[in-house]
């Protein structure tokens, strides 16, 4: 049973030493660690719930975060805040590694704690213990009751555990890593000014009706201890920059775009001058978007994906509800007709995608070609070190899934991916140049009898900005940006037969639905057949009649 | 309509004034608002359906909060924001886009969406925010006006009364307060963190307490209001609250809460540590008594409401039913609409609302203001004189025979104002000592054959419903309730009681009032958001009240003792 309060929109581990260390002076001095360990020890030793078993496993996590956020429009701050918060997570298991309170149930959350206690912001030893104590009490009672119920279920059904779909808790090595964040002198004024300057770019674009720039910098330390002896302190920093703009045509047709940048540290953001140039480029593209040609009817045929769109295709294919490289720990039920984890289990050892592809999890790799891999981590949320270079798909055949410590099938192992996919490298054996791929696209479109072909540079299936879909003239090769096209996200079926792939590799960091970033090391181009695109039809609210002239225009 | 936690107060404070040059620099916002208002009105007057009125209301707010629990600081932060809300009206004062459109017109019109303006005085950024808001408001007004006209054309019911205007005509006002110094930045957070930690650490002394929170909120606000009628009001407001929340687990698992609050204009006005800590000690002692108090069964019979509870009682059963704008809504119950000039309360009672008051009986109160959120000067309004209903609380939504506002158009930040309560004061010409109220209660208990009556000492708030589609009931949430026995036994503290009833029935049951007075200080929530209010009343003896069981919050005893409950070496 667990109670999770850690909020991790994007967690990156910056600059900490991946070397096992003995307990250092800092740990000895860490009030937070001492409080976590002392309360855990007390619970393991003294907690007794009448008529129920004692816990065999406890883990505590505390996320000590400082969050700076600034939001500006047209050169002026709308908000600029800095705050600290400390969130906790508690997991407690009753039973044993093979059969416990999480074994037969898909609901792993604890009942709400009517009078929960927040984690103090100060290094307040007893206050921290009280916060953990309040949650532990509720989680333990829920877990103990559930374990008893599971024991009764086995007895009543007169079945052996192995005859039922069940979840085991993996044993893993004990890890000790202590690395506190270095003091960060953020310099709020500098970043306030950065955001203000970016937002001021839109002053030169009177047709843009609404615009803003926003920056969020989160940093601090994550603490994790468990009753097996694992002790981890790791620093993190996340940086998220967003510049958005919106306008409408006179007929009320809306156009918007959103420029997003992630970085490991604030210093890794583009320079102000570079970023202003990017914002200006986006604004120019937006105000001319209404003049772009429209996709008039649905398209089915070959599409060449370039740049970030390649990673988007793989992300959509590998992390969908039905086919997911992250192993589901949902138990299959006789009443449940959905395939759950068993659907993917059945595909292991079989051809999964085109046999030219190999997919490797390189979760702890921090840089590729000197580019930061923002999804990288060295230890997952359960205190497990990710397996190095874990081959998930080899020459098209599914070999492994990414697992946390909850195992639902024999043969699964905890490979340190409780924090998500991290870093995925997609390799191919027969890459070609982008130019060759474009010619292959044109040839394929002609062969299909189409009047034009499509190139996608941004799909934006997650709603991050607008798609960038280009119409390609089959005779001249000329590309025109479409103003209203939506690319079908595709799926695994589109990767079964891949006509051609780019030979260069690129890094793309994408957010997942869970909020974590995943870093993709992918080919720079991907040609797929039988892809769908359709006109984007946004219902207009009303005619955008201007009754008062814009201040930017007078 | 929810009246929130009890707030008690203290302190009167002098606010720092800035030199004149700083005043001009800080108030470039008003210059931008004026210019944009004039520009917008000029252009919108030329439209096919012209605007006849525009207003801008900007709340420039800085907030600070500190939260502690059982001696630990658990939350701290501050923020500032600047929120614009605008009203654009098309048509005329007589008939405009807000005109009621029939019984199903719950909202009357679409209302405003607040806009967050930059808190920095960058002219073009401010102008763009104001422009977008004005444009959107005008478009909404056009839609509302069209719908109102269509509804009028559909109406077949003959009009039997003289039509009332949709918007009152008022004399323009000019009022300006210079800006204050930045009190939020100057706030001594270090000192107050330690104070609050010290206060909440008192809860550590009892291991059965499951909640022991003490928090402080301090807000500094500068409110701007300008209209095309040439009204311009710029006023300052600060408020500080300390909230104390404690809960104890009874032996049956029931979690019983108590609340305590202090209100002051700035934190300097809070009581001394000794007073607050003494009050918390008393609260803990009350919680310890509640832990073993019996659960009460539903009851109907005589009761005494002590002064703060009586204030909430009047706020809910009476105050919400004299908010004028409700009389214009066909879905409202109109409890008092046709009763002006009639006796609605005992002839010994007077009820008035007075936003000009800053204190009652020397105790600072929070329901006051100089000008309301429609730029109208707050007036003392006697609603009931010697038991007779005289008038209603009025915003700029007129009623038959009540064509003008009396300065009770109120709203929280970003909301559109409607008529709301301010400082409610109930007075009696025939107050009797508490001993006499008790004697009356016992006599009435005997007459009704009841072994005991109830005494409601304290409440945390309540709510009521005024529309005609739901029962017009009220519910008050008492925290300290005693049984007063006919057989002479000592008063008995009970738990799990809510006070319920219907308003008109309750008015007839008020039998006597005390010669005391106390004030409840809290927040009232309704369609225009939460606004600070107070309610002062003498204690009441009521011939018959009704109670129901309070919803229970259950928690098992903890397996291990709370860490650090006792002072550590």
């Amino acid at each position: 049973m667990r109670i999770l309060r850690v909020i991790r929109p994007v967690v990156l581990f910056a600059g900490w030493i991946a070397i096992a260390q003995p307990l250092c002076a800092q740990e000895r001095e860490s009030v937070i660690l001492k409080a976590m360990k002392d309360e855990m020890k007390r619970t393991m030793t003294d907690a007794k719930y009448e008529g129920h078993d004692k816990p065999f496993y406890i883990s505590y996590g505390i996320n000590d975060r400082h969050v700076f956020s600034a939001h500006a429009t047209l050169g002026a701050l709308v908000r600029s805040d800095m705050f600290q918060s400390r969130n906790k997570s508690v997991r407690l298991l009753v039973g044993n590694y093979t059969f416990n309170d999480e074994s037969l149930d898909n609901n792993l959350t604890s009942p709400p704690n009517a009078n929960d206690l927040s984690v103090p912001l100060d290094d307040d030893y007893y206050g921290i213990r009280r916060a953990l104590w309040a949650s532990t009490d509720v989680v333990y009672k829920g877990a103990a009751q559930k374990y008893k119920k599971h024991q009764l279920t086995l007895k009543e059904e007169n079945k052996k555990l192995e005859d039922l779909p069940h979840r085991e808790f993996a044993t893993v090595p004990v890890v000790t890593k202590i690395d506190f964040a270095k003091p960060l002198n953020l310099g709020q004024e500098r970043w306030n000014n950065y955001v203000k300057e970016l937002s001021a770019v839109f002053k030169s674009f009177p047709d843009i009706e609404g615009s803003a720039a926003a920056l969020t910098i989160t940093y601090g330390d994550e603490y994790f201890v468990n009753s097996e002896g694992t002790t981890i302190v790791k620093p993190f920093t996340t940086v998220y920059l967003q510049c958005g703009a919106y306008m409408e045509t006179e007929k009320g047709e809306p156009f918007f775009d959103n420029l997003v940048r992630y970085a490991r540290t604030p210093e890794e953001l583009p320079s102000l001058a570079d970023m202003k140039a990017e914002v200006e480029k986006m604004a120019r593209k937006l105000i001319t978007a209404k003049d772009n040609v429209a996709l008039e009817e649905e398209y089915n045929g070959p599409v060449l994906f370039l740049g970030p769109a390649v990673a988007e295709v793989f992300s959509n294919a590998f992390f969908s509800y039905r086919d997911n490289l992250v192993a589901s720990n949902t138990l299959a039920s006789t009443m449940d007709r959905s395939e759950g984890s068993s659907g993917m289990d059945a595909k292991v050892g079989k051809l999964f995608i085109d046999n030219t592809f190999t997919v490797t999890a390189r979760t702890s790799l921090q840089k590729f070609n000197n580019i930061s891999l923002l999804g990288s981590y060295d230890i997952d949320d359960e205190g497990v070190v990710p397996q190095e270079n874990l081959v998930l798909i080899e020459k098209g055949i599914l070999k492994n899934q990414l697992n946390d410590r909850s195992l639902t099938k024999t043969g699964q192992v905890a490979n340190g991916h409780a924090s998500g996919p991290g870093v995925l490298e997609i390799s191919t054996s027969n890459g070609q140049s982008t130019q060759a791929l474009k010619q292959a696209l044109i040839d394929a479109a002609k062969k299909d009898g189409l009047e034009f072909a499509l190139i996608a540079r941004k799909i934006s299936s997650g709603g991050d900005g607008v798609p960038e879909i280009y119409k390609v003239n089959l005779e001249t090769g000329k590309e025109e940006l479409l103003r209203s096209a939506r690319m079908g996200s595709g799926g695994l079926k589109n990767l079964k037969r891949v006509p051609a792939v780019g030979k260069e590799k690129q890094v793309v960091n994408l957010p997942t639905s869970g909020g974590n970033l995943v870093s993709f090391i992918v080919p720079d181009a991907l040609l797929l057949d039988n892809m769908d695109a359709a006109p984007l039809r946004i219902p207009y609210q009303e005619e955008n009649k201007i009754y008062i002239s814009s201040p930017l225009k007078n | 309509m929810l009246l929130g936690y009890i707030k008690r107060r203290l302190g009167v404070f002098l606010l720092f004034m800035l030199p004149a040059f700083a005043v001009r620099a800080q108030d470039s916002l008003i210059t931008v608002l004026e210019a944009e208002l004039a520009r917008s009105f000029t252009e919108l007057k030329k439209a096919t359906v012209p605007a006849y009125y525009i207003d801008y209301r900007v709340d420039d707010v800085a907030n600070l909060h500190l939260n502690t629990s059982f001696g630990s600081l658990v939350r701290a932060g501050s923020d500032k924001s600047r929120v614009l809300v605008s009203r654009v009206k098309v048509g005329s004062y007589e008939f405009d886009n807000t005109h009621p459109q029939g019984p199903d017109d719950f909202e009357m019109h679409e209302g405003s969406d607040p806009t967050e303006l930059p808190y920095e005085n960058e002219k073009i950024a401010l102008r763009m925010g104001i422009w977008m808001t004005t444009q959107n408001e005008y478009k909404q007004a056009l839609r509302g006006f069209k719908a109102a006209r269509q509804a009028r054309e559909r109406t077949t019911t003959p009009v039997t009364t003289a039509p009332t205007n949709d918007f009152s005509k008022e004399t323009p006002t000019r009022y300006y307060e210079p800006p204050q110094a930045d009190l939020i930045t100057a706030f001594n957070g270090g000192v107050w963190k330690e104070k609050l930690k010290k206060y909440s650490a008192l809860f550590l002394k009892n291991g059965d307490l499951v909640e022991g929170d003490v928090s402080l909120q301090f807000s500094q606000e500068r409110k701007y209001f300008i209209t095309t009628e040439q009204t311009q009001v710029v006023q300052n407001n600060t408020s500080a609250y300390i909230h104390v929340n404690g809960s104890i687990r009874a032996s049956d698992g029931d979690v019983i809460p108590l609340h305590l609050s202090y209100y002051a204009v700035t934190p300097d006005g809070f009581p001394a540590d000794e007073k607050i800590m003494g009050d918390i000690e008393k609260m803990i002692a009350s919680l310890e008594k509640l832990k073993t108090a019996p659960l009460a069964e539903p009851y109907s019979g005589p009761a005494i409401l002590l002064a703060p509870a009586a204030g909430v009682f009047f706020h809910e059963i009476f105050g919400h039913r004299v908010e004028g704008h409700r009389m214009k809504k066909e879905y409202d119950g109109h409890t008092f609409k046709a009763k002006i000039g009639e006796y609605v309360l005992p002839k010994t009672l007077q009820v008035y609302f007075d936003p000009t008051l800053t204190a009652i009986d020397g105790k600072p109160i929070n329901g006051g203001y100089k000008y309301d959120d429609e730029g109208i000067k707050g007036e003392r309004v006697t609603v009931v004189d010697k038991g007779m209903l005289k008038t209603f609380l009025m915003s700029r939504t007129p009623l038959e025979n009540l064509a003008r506002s009396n300065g009770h158009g109120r709203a929280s930040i970003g909301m559109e104002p409607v008529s709301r309560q301010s400082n409610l004061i109930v007075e009696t010409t025939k107050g009797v000592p508490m001993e006499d109220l008790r004697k009356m209660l016992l006599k009435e208990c005997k007459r009704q054959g009841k072994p005991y009556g109830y005494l409601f000492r304290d409440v945390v708030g309540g709510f009521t419903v005024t529309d005609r589609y739901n029962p017009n009931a009220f519910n008050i949430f008492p925290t300290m309730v005693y049984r007063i026995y006919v057989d002479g036994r000592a008063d008995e503290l009970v738990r799990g009681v809510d006070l319920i009833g219907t308003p008109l029935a309750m008015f007839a049951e008020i039998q006597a009032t005390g010669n005391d007075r106390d004030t409840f200080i809290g927040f009232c929530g309704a369609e225009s958001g939460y606004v600070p209010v107070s309610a002062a009343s003498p204690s009441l003896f009521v011939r018959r009240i009704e109670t129901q069981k309070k919803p229970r919050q259950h928690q098992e005893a903890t397996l291990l003792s709370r860490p650090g409950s006792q002072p550590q070496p």
Side-chain angles (χ1 to χ4, degrees), chain B residues 134-183:
Chain B
T134 314
Q135 275 260 121
N136 291 339
E137 278 304 304
Y138 177 67
K139 288 177 184 177
Q140 282 197 14
L142 282 183
R143 286 194 291 271
F145 190 56
K146 188 177 171 188
R149 280 195 302 200
Q150 287 171 342
R152 183 172 60 178
E153 286 160 14
R154 285 196 305 269
T155 303
T156 53
T157 313
V159 177
T160 55
T161 55
T164 55
N165 285 358
D166 285 332
F167 197 50
S168 67
K169 293 178 179 172
E170 307 285 352
T171 307
T173 305
R174 308 290 285 191
Y175 178 77
Y176 182 84
E177 290 178 1
Q180 298 173 329
D182 180 353
L183 300 179

Side-chain angles (χ1 to χ4, degrees), chain A residues 381-452:
Chain A
D381 286 348
E382 293 180 326
V384 182
V385 177
Q387 188 175 328
E388 290 278 351
N389 298 326
L390 173 65
V391 176
L392 302 175
I393 299 168
E394 188 172 26
K395 293 181 180 172
I397 293 171
L398 181 65
K399 294 287 186 182
N400 284 297
Q401 282 183 276
L402 302 168
N403 288 324
D404 56 18
R405 292 185 70 174
S406 293
L407 309 179
T408 54
K409 188 173 169 60
T410 310
Q412 276 185 314
V413 292
N415 50 38
H417 287 88
S419 305
V423 178
L424 282 190
E425 181 172 13
I426 290 118
S427 306
T428 181
S429 53
N430 58 351
Q432 301 174 46
S433 70
T434 306
Q435 201 174 5
L437 261 69
K438 186 172 176 181
Q439 189 56 52
L441 168 76
I442 291 170
D443 294 345
K446 284 180 178 172
K447 191 178 167 191
D448 287 353
L450 298 171
E451 293 178 358
F452 59 89

Side-chain angles (χ1 to χ4, degrees), chain A residues 197-271:
Chain A
E197 290 278 329
L198 293 181
S199 72
V201 170
F202 295 106
K203 285 181 183 178
S204 307
F205 297 89
D207 288 335
I208 290 177
E209 294 172 30
S211 61
L215 174 67
T216 302
I217 301 170
T218 308
Y219 62 93
D221 289 309
E222 286 186 330
Y223 295 79
F224 179 88
V225 298
N226 70 23
S227 53
E228 295 161 335
T230 286
T231 303
I232 293 162
V233 182
K234 56 191 182 187
F236 66 92
T237 309
T238 73
V239 181
Y240 177 61
L241 173 68
Q242 198 176 9
C243 299
Y246 171 86
M247 63 175 291
E248 282 184 19
T249 63
E250 285 179 7
K251 290 180 181 174
E253 186 180 4
F255 288 93
F256 60 93
D257 207 349
N258 202 16
L259 199 61
V260 172
R261 292 289 177 268
Y262 302 96
R264 191 185 292 276
T265 66
E267 283 68 30
E268 287 189 13
L269 282 171
S271 71

